[in-house]
Amino acid sequence: MAANQKSGNSLYHPSEGVKMRARIKEYDKLYQESITNREDFWAKEAEELFWYQKWNKVLDDSNKPFYKWFTGGKTNVVANAIDRHLDSETKNKLALIWEGEPGDVRTFSYFALNREISKFANVLKAMGAKKGDIVTIYMPQIPEIIIAMLACAKIGAAHSVIYGGFSVEALAERIADAHSSILITADGGFRRGKPTNLKTIADEAMRRSPTIDVCITVKRTGKECFMENDRDYWWHDLMGMPIASAKCETEQTDAEDPLFILYTSGTTGKPKGLIHTHGGYSVYASSTFKYVFDIQPDDRWWCAADPGWITGHSYIVYGPLINGATILLYEGAPNHPYPNRWWQMIEKYGVNIFYTSPTAIRGLMRYGASWADKHDLSSLRLLGSVGEPINPEAWLWYYEVIGKNNCPIMDTWWQTETGGFMITPLPITPLKPGSATKPFFGNEISVVDESGKAVKHGTEGNLVIKNPWPGMARTILGDPDRFIEKYWKLYEKQGWYLTGDSAKIDEDGYVWIIGRNDDVLKVSGYRLGSAEIESALVSHPAVTEAAAIGLPDKLKGNIIHATVILKDGFSESDELANELKMHVDGEIGPIARPAFVVFADSLPKTRSGKIMRRVLKARALGQEEGDLSTLEE
Ligand code: WT7
C-alpha cells in the first residue's frame, strides 16, 4: 500500500497482494446492483446460509418501520454457526483459541464447542429455560460466555448479555426490563492481575431485581463467593450431571424470532433493549464479515472487543463462526503485564486480521513503537477499527507500526442498532485516514439538514440511512413507540433511519463521521447516556440535581464532566466530589465514572426546563457561552 502524500486527504491504496486475495474486486458496479435490486442481493446472500425452510418473502415492509426479513423462513443461528460445520472439514478446525490474563490457554474445535454448547443447552432446559425466554448473561471474557450465548440461541431463548464492566444498578435495571428468570455469571475474571467480583455485584443486582430464580456461576477466579440455596448453582456441577447430555437438537426458529436483546444507552435514563433476530441478523453479520474482513479458511481472526457489546456479538461470535473462522478471545487488559501483551498474542497465534478501537490504539501508542517492534507481526493482512472516529495520528501509527505499511485499515462505522457494518471500506478500497469511506452493499446513506435536504459536500449534517437492511434492530423491547420516536420520527415522511451521528461527505463520496449529535457520549468507545450518569448521581443522598456532559479528551475521545447541585445540609468538598465519582462507578461501572465533578447552585436551563448542555460545555472549556436567548432567567 502506498501513500501519495501524508496530508489529510491523501489516498492509501491497498497492495496488489491484498487486492488479489480479496473476494470483491470492484465496488462501484456491485454496489449499484445491490441498491437497484436490494432484495435480490440479500436473497443471494441468504442462500449461502442453511435454512430448515426457505423464506417466502425477502422483505416485508407492510408495517413500517417494523420491517421484517425472510419471513416464512426457518433457521437458527446455531445451525449456521455450529451445526453445519460438523458435516464439513471445519469440524476439527479450531473455533476458539482463548487465553486468560494469567496466561492459561484453552482451545475448542468446532466439534468440541458443539459438545459444550449442547450440554449447556440441556442444562438450561433442565433449569426451566424455554423458547421465548430472555436469559441474562453477565460474565467476564471466558469461553463460557460464548458457550452460554450459543446455548441460549440453540434452544430458541434470547440472550441479554450485560457487559461485565457494568455494575449493580446497570445490571439490575436490565434484568428487570427483560423479566429474566435465569442469570449466568462467574465468580469473576482477571483484570490487571486482580480478580473482579462479578458474583458480588450479581448478588446485589438480584436483590434489587428479584425476578431471577436460577443463577448459574462459572468458577473462574476461585474467589470465595456467596451461594444461595435453591437459587445459585455452579456451572461445573450442573455440567457434570446427567442433565447435561451432549445430545441436543437445535430449535428451528422463525427468521424473525429474537436471537438476542442488547441494551444500549440513549438520550433518556432508561437503557434501550434492542431486539435482533435469527434470520436477518445472521445474514447481515455473516455477509458483512465475509466481505469486509475477507475471511479465508486458514485465517486467524481476532476482534479484541468484549463479547458483551454488539461488536463482540456480531464479530467475535456470530459473523466469524457462521463463516467457520478461528477466533481468538483474550480475557484481560492490553497492557498487562506489559504493553506488548496484544502484540505478543498476534505473534504467538499468527493472527491475520485484527480489529480493535481507536481508544485502545491511542492507549498503546502512548508506550511507543518499541513494544510492537519486539514482535513479528508479519502474519497480519488486514486491520480494523470501530467505536469512534479514528484520528489520523492514531490511524497512521496503527498503519505504520502495527500494519508495517502493508495492511489496509477497515474503519467500520455502525451501531448496536444496525447489527453490522453500515459504512466501511473493503480490502480493495483506497483509504483516507479518519474516513469510514463508503456504504456497505444494499445501503444508501445521506447527510441531511433538519428538513431532510442533503447538505453540500464537506458540510456537517445528520447522517441518515435511507433503506431497510437485514441486520437492523426490529424494535425496542417493550417500547415500540420509543423505537419510532428515536429513529424514525424526524424523517418520517421520507422513511429514513436517523443514526444520531453527525457526519460530512466529501467530494469523492467519502464519509467522515464527526460524532454523536444527541445526548449520547462515547467514552473510550463505550456508549453512555448523559441521563444515565445523571440518574446515578441523583441516587446519591447528597445530590438533588445533576448534569453530565462529555469533554474532548486526547486518549478517551470524551471524558465525563458532571455538574451537581447539593441538597440542603450538604456542603461542597473534594471528598464529596470523589465519593460521587465512586458512587457512579458502583451504580453503572468504572466506564461511567466522571473525570470531574463540580458543584453549582443552579443549572443553565431553557424556559421549557431542558438543561443547556452546550452552555455547560462552553463553561467547562472556558469558551464563549454563545446564544443565551433561550436561557431561563
Ligand atoms: C456509535 C454507536 C458498532 C460497534 C461499536 C459501537 C460511533 C462506531 C464508528 C466509526 C466513527 C463510530 C458512532 C455510532 N462509531 N463506529 N468507525 N467511526 N464513529 O456501537 O456502542 O452502539 O455506538 O459509535 O457515534 O453512533 P455503539
Side-chain angles (χ1 to χ4, degrees):
M1 202 174 195
N4 297 341
Q5 49 182 302
K6 278 192 186 170
S7 81
N9 223 18
S10 61
L11 284 179
Y12 284 70
H13 292 279
S15 70
E16 284 312 312
V18 170
K19 282 205 275 194
M20 272 187 29
R21 278 194 72 148
R23 273 195 180 72
I24 301 271
K25 309 286 183 206
E26 207 261 340
Y27 168 80
D28 293 332
K29 189 166 157 275
L30 233 175
Y31 173 72
Q32 273 314 323
E33 281 171 19
S34 76
I35 60 171
T36 328
N37 298 310
R38 182 170 293 117
E39 292 181 35
D40 292 349
F41 177 84
W42 287 117
K44 232 177 102 219
E45 290 301 311
E47 272 156 21
E48 306 224 334
L49 300 191
F50 168 81
W51 298 81
Y52 296 105
Q53 186 181 303
K54 203 178 160 174
W55 59 89
N56 36 46
K57 210 165 168 28
V58 176
L59 172 63
D60 173 356
D61 59 0
S62 57
N63 183 24
K64 293 175 190 167
F66 302 100
Y67 295 92
K68 291 179 182 170
W69 287 85
F70 309 110
T71 45
K74 278 196 183 292
T75 185
N76 185 310
V77 75
V78 175
N80 281 296
I82 303 289
D83 302 352
R84 69 167 173 168
H85 300 314
L86 303 177
D87 299 323
S88 78
E89 285 166 8
T90 313
K91 177 179 175 183
N92 293 319
K93 177 178 173 177
L94 286 185
L96 171 63
I97 301 172
W98 173 83
E99 186 167 309
E101 198 188 67
D104 42 340
V105 177
R106 289 164 71 195
T107 58
F108 299 80
S109 64
Y110 274 87
F111 177 79
L113 193 59
N114 176 56
R115 252 184 89 75
E116 299 301 313
I117 294 162
S118 299
K119 289 181 67 173
F120 195 63
N122 279 322
V123 166
L124 284 175
K125 282 201 225 170
M127 302 311 271
K130 55 187 185 320
K131 187 161 184 240
D133 287 353
I134 303 172
V135 174
T136 298
I137 298 176
Y138 178 61
M139 291 173 92
Q141 299 192 55
I142 54 178
E144 286 81 358
I145 187 171
I146 296 178
I147 295 164
M149 289 165 73
L150 289 156
C152 290
K154 189 173 173 78
I155 65 170
H159 54 71
S160 163
V161 182
I162 315 303
Y163 168 58
F166 273 136
S167 197
V168 177
E169 187 53 26
L171 175 59
E173 223 176 2
R174 289 160 175 77
I175 290 173
D177 187 76
H179 306 289
S180 263
S181 59
I182 300 183
L183 173 66
I184 308 166
T185 186
D187 53 358
F190 290 101
R191 191 80 191 170
R192 295 210 170 76
K194 285 205 271 317
T196 58
N197 58 349
L198 290 193
K199 180 61 165 57
T200 318
I201 294 171
D203 286 335
E204 176 57 21
M206 288 188 278
R207 206 183 55 73
R208 291 191 198 178
S209 290
T211 55
I212 300 290
D213 40 50
V214 171
C215 173
I216 303 173
T217 305
V218 175
K219 194 175 238 155
R220 163 66 185 139
T221 64
K223 236 175 108 169
E224 191 84 33
C225 54
F226 168 78
M227 297 293 274
E228 189 170 293
N229 254 344
D230 294 333
R231 185 196 69 187
D232 289 350
Y233 302 86
W234 288 108
W235 173 292
H236 59 266
D237 284 343
L238 297 173
M239 290 288 267
M241 289 180 182
I243 51 168
S245 146
K247 215 167 145 267
C248 181
E249 285 288 319
T250 301
E251 180 79 27
Q252 302 192 8
T253 51
D254 288 337
E256 284 291 307
D257 278 343
L259 165 60
F260 63 83
I261 315 295
L262 194 56
Y263 285 90
T264 191
S265 301
T267 48
T268 71
K270 200 169 167 283
K272 302 180 278 200
L274 293 158
I275 299 184
H276 286 283
T277 60
H278 274 271
Y281 172 83
S282 293
V283 174
Y284 202 75
S286 168
S287 298
T288 48
F289 180 64
K290 176 179 67 182
Y291 292 127
V292 174
F293 284 109
D294 204 38
I295 196 79
Q296 308 282 347
D298 54 352
D299 276 336
R300 287 187 164 183
W301 156 256
W302 186 16
C303 164
D306 191 292
W309 301 107
I310 191 71
T311 310
H313 281 49
S314 301
Y315 300 113
I316 295 176
V317 183
Y318 294 116
L321 294 181
I322 293 173
N323 280 282
T326 297
I327 61 181
L328 248 86
L329 185 67
Y330 164 61
E331 176 184 35
N335 55 356
H336 189 86
Y338 302 106
N340 63 335
R341 184 63 188 265
W342 276 6
W343 319 132
Q344 198 178 38
M345 296 263 299
I346 290 175
E347 177 182 71
K348 179 174 173 188
Y349 297 108
V351 171
N352 307 94
I353 319 169
F354 178 64
Y355 187 41
T356 186
S357 67
T359 289
I361 295 159
R362 289 191 295 260
L364 292 168
M365 197 173 129
R366 273 190 311 181
Y367 299 107
S370 64
W371 289 101
D373 290 346
K374 289 189 207 329
H375 298 279
D376 178 2
L377 304 180
S378 60
S379 58
L380 290 172
R381 182 173 86 247
L382 287 172
L383 298 172
S385 171
V386 63
E388 54 191 314
I390 181 164
N391 49 309
E393 198 194 353
W395 195 100
L396 287 170
W397 190 84
Y398 195 25
Y399 183 72
E400 288 163 4
V401 175
I402 306 306
K404 314 290 179 211
N405 297 304
N406 210 19
C407 306
I409 300 174
M410 303 296 107
D411 178 357
T412 59
W413 179 90
W414 59 297
Q415 309 178 301
T416 307
E417 291 84 346
T418 70
F421 311 145
M422 298 303 287
I423 304 174
T424 174
L426 296 170
I428 53 162
T429 310
L431 303 172
K432 297 184 187 184
S435 166
T437 74
K438 303 207 172 171
F440 187 74
F441 300 124
N443 296 326
E444 286 170 280
I445 57 151
S446 191
V447 170
V448 299
D449 65 16
E450 290 283 308
S451 73
K453 212 172 122 246
V455 299
K456 283 209 222 50
H457 287 304
T459 310
E460 196 176 329
N462 290 335
L463 178 67
V464 295
I465 300 159
K466 296 175 146 182
N467 52 271
W469 63 101
M472 66 200 303
R474 298 302 191 260
T475 188
I476 294 173
L477 180 68
D479 204 348
D481 292 343
R482 192 170 169 206
F483 181 72
I484 298 177
E485 178 63 37
K486 176 74 224 301
Y487 306 108
W488 304 95
K489 196 88 202 170
L490 189 57
Y491 300 112
E492 191 177 14
K493 222 173 56 228
Q494 299 90 336
W496 298 340
Y497 168 84
L498 178 70
T499 63
D501 277 20
S502 71
K504 297 179 191 176
I505 299 182
D506 72 15
E507 241 111 71
D508 301 326
Y510 278 55
V511 182
W512 300 79
I513 304 291
I514 293 156
R516 300 290 310 190
N517 55 8
D518 50 12
D519 292 327
V520 170
L521 309 177
K522 279 267 157 172
V523 180
S524 299
Y526 297 113
R527 176 164 161 182
L528 293 160
S530 308
E532 270 174 289
I533 301 158
E534 290 157 6
S535 71
L537 283 164
V538 297
S539 74
H540 186 279
V543 178
T544 172
E545 222 183 328
I549 53 166
L551 298 180
D553 180 75
K554 268 195 117 106
L555 189 65
K556 298 181 168 181
N558 280 289
I559 48 174
I560 300 165
H561 177 284
T563 308
V564 299
I565 304 177
L566 295 177
K567 283 186 189 152
D568 281 347
F570 290 90
S571 46
E572 307 175 4
S573 69
D574 290 348
E575 289 72 45
L576 182 55
N578 282 331
E579 188 180 318
L580 292 175
K581 290 179 195 172
M582 292 319 291
H583 179 71
V584 177
D585 186 320
E587 291 295 302
I588 308 179
I591 54 174
R593 189 193 308 152
F596 303 101
V597 170
V598 300
F599 301 98
D601 297 326
S602 67
L603 293 172
K605 285 187 185 161
T606 61
R607 285 182 202 106
S608 58
K610 262 187 96 177
I611 297 170
M612 294 178 79
R613 295 202 168 75
R614 172 178 63 78
V615 175
L616 286 172
K617 193 163 173 177
R619 276 182 199 167
L621 295 172
Q623 294 167 343
E624 291 284 318
E625 293 184 11
D627 177 13
L628 296 179
S629 58
T630 56
L631 189 69
E632 183 194 41
E633 279 315 302

